[in-house]
Amino acid sequence: MEMNTPKIQKRNFKPKLILQITFPLILFTIITLQLLSKNIYLKRSFPPSSLLHVNYVEFPSTKIELTQKTSPKKCDLFSGEWVQNMEAPYYTNDSCRVIQQHQNCMKYGRPDTEFMKWKWMPNGCELPVFNPYHFLDIVKGKSLAFVGDSVARNHMQSLICLLSRVEHPLDISPTKDDNFKRWYYQSYNFTLVILWSPFLVKTQDNDPNGKTGKTFVGLFLDEPNEDWTAQIDGIDYIIISAGHWFFRPLIYYEKRRFMGCRYCEIDNLTEYSLSFGYRNAFKTAFRAILERESFKGTVYLRTFAPSHFEEGEWDHGGDCLKKRPIKSNETNFEGENLEMYTAQIEAFQEAQKLAQQRGLKFELMDMTRLMLMRPDGHPSVYGRPANLNVTWPSDCVHWCLPGPIDSWNDFLLELLKSEKKNFQ
C-alpha cells in the first residue's frame, strides 16, 4: 500500500516582502530606545524637584517630567562679610595727589597696614575689585557728581586715587574752594564733581533763634540748597549722601516759619527727634532733583556711614583703635545708626516711586550695615602731626586713604555695569 506523504510547498520570499516586514520592526526598536534614553537624560539632568516648577505631559506607555528652572534669586551685594585681600592697596599715599592731610594716615605714622587689605564678599556671589579701565570705559563722555559732606568728598578722593593707575585728571574747578571741585579726565571726556552741602537744604548759620552762647544752624527743611541743585542739570550720575552734621544743635523752619529744634535745650520749644530733620532734608533733596526738568541722569543714595567712637564721645576722649574688621554677627544695628538709616530709606523709597513715573532711576548703595563692621580704617590720631603740647579729638568719622572706603567704588562700578546691561 502506497503511503501518501504530505507535500511541502516551497515559498519564494521576495526581497521587497522582507523589507516590508523588517523595516517597521527596526523603526519601532529605534523609537523605543530613543524614548528610554530621553527619559533617563531628563531624570539625570535636572536638579531636585524642590527647586523646580514641574509639568507633566503624557506619552504612550511612559510619563516624562518636563521641568523648568525658576528664576535664580538676585544676589544681595550688601549682605556678606569682609575677607582678606592681600593684593590691596592699589595705590599709596605717595602715588595719589588728592589725599588730604587728615586722611593721610601713613604719612603721620600709623604703624599698622592690615586695615587696607580687605574686600567685601557678598553672600552667594562675587563683587569684583574695582577695575579703573572698565570704569572709565563705562563713564566715557559722561559726568558724575558727589553731593554731600566731607565723607562724600572722601569718597570722591578715593575714586580719583583708584583711577590714578590709568590717568591723573585735570583740575578745571571754577573756584579755589575745595568744596566745589571739578576734575576732568581728558582721554575719556569724563568729569568728576564735588558739590558741598552737608545738610542738603538751605541753611542759616549762627541762627538768632538759638540759645545765647551756643552756636545753632537753622535748616529750612522744605527748601533745597541751590548751591548744588543749580549745578546738576546735564549730570549723568549723582551720588548723594549726608549724615554727621545732623548731630549738631539745629533749628528747624518750614515755610520760612520757626517750628522747633534739635539739641537746643530751650524751654517751651518743640524738640524733634534726630530722624525728623534728616528724613525731611532728604525728602526735599530728592524732590528738588525730580523737579529739575533738565536732569535726566541716575541718582545713587549712599546710605549713612557710621562713626566708631569708643570709650567716650568725639570731644570727650573717644577713639577708634581697632586694626581689623569685625564679623556681621558681632555688630548691633541699633540706636542712632538705625534711626538715621531708616529715615534715609523711607525718603528714598518715596522718591524712587516718583522717579519711575518720570522715567528716572534712583538706586541704592546700601553701605551702613557693612561699614558698621569697619571700625579699623579711621584716621584716629594719625590725621595730623604729633604734638605733645596739643591734644586733638580723634577722627573716627572720615577714612584713611588707602582704606576701607576704596571698596565703595567696587560697589559703584558694579551698579554702573548693571545699569549699562539693563540699558542695552
Side-chain angles (χ1 to χ4, degrees), residues 3-33:
M3 295 181 62
N4 294 324
T5 59
K7 295 181 179 179
I8 300 175
Q9 297 180 353
K10 293 182 180 180
R11 296 180 180 179
N12 296 323
F13 290 91
K14 298 181 179 179
K16 183 176 181 181
L17 180 61
I18 293 173
L19 286 174
Q20 289 175 341
I21 294 172
T22 58
F23 182 77
L25 292 173
I26 295 171
L27 183 62
F28 177 78
T29 302
I30 293 172
I31 292 174
T32 302
L33 290 173

Side-chain angles (χ1 to χ4, degrees), residues 318-375:
D319 206 348
C320 39
L321 300 176
K322 288 187 169 61
K323 298 182 179 180
R324 57 183 299 139
I326 57 178
K327 298 290 186 180
S328 58
N329 60 5
E330 298 172 341
T331 58
N332 294 315
F333 194 19
E334 59 189 8
E336 292 177 337
N337 289 326
L338 180 58
E339 184 179 356
M340 299 284 276
Y341 174 80
T342 302
Q344 277 186 310
I345 295 299
E346 289 173 353
F348 172 79
Q349 290 175 339
E350 181 180 313
Q352 192 178 45
K353 293 178 182 178
L354 296 174
Q356 290 174 349
Q357 298 173 10
R358 252 208 69 189
L360 297 178
K361 290 184 178 180
F362 275 48
E363 303 291 342
L364 193 65
M365 291 183 66
D366 197 352
M367 311 306 293
T368 306
R369 288 186 181 87
L370 61 92
M371 294 313 292
L372 271 172
M373 302 159 62
R374 294 307 306 265

Side-chain angles (χ1 to χ4, degrees), residues 18 43 53 64 72 100 116 170 260 269 271 314 325 362 405:
I18 293 173
K43 288 182 178 179
H53 293 304
I64 299 178
Q100 290 180 300
M116 303 178 188
L170 302 175
L269 290 186
E271 179 86 11
W314 71 274
F362 275 48
I405 66 168

Side-chain angles (χ1 to χ4, degrees), residues 131-270:
N131 183 320
Y133 294 95
H134 199 168
F135 179 88
L136 287 168
D137 181 62
I138 290 176
V139 299
K140 190 173 184 178
K142 297 182 179 180
S143 55
L144 187 156
F146 290 86
V147 177
D149 55 20
S150 54
V151 179
R153 185 173 60 226
N154 203 176
H155 185 184
M156 184 194 72
Q157 291 161 341
S158 166
L159 177 58
I160 293 175
C161 289
L162 289 166
L163 294 175
S164 66
R165 291 176 288 169
V166 178
E167 183 174 332
H168 292 286
L170 302 175
D171 187 345
I172 60 170
S173 306
T175 173
K176 293 183 179 180
D177 187 350
D178 285 341
N179 294 323
F180 295 91
K181 299 285 287 185
R182 287 179 176 263
W183 301 93
Y184 182 63
Y185 290 81
Q186 194 169 14
S187 301
Y188 294 87
N189 187 26
F190 170 58
T191 304
L192 264 179
V193 183
I194 179 67
L195 301 174
W196 171 263
S197 187
F199 293 109
L200 305 177
V201 295
K202 181 180 176 65
T203 62
Q204 178 174 277
D205 292 334
N206 300 319
D207 195 291
N209 287 300
K211 190 175 181 180
T212 302
K214 192 172 185 179
T215 301
F216 287 82
V217 178
L219 303 189
F220 297 86
L221 292 177
D222 54 349
E223 297 183 44
N225 179 4
E226 294 182 356
D227 288 345
W228 70 269
T229 59
Q231 299 191 54
I232 64 171
D233 294 344
I235 295 289
D236 296 287
Y237 307 103
I238 291 176
I239 301 177
I240 189 168
S241 59
H244 293 284
W245 284 63
F246 286 83
F247 289 91
R248 302 183 179 204
L250 304 173
I251 298 291
Y252 295 144
Y253 294 87
E254 193 173 62
K255 297 181 180 178
R256 292 296 175 102
R257 301 178 67 176
F258 175 63
M259 60 181 298
C261 59
R262 174 66 181 166
Y263 301 131
C264 60
E265 301 174 354
I266 301 176
D267 295 337
N268 301 320
L269 290 186
T270 302

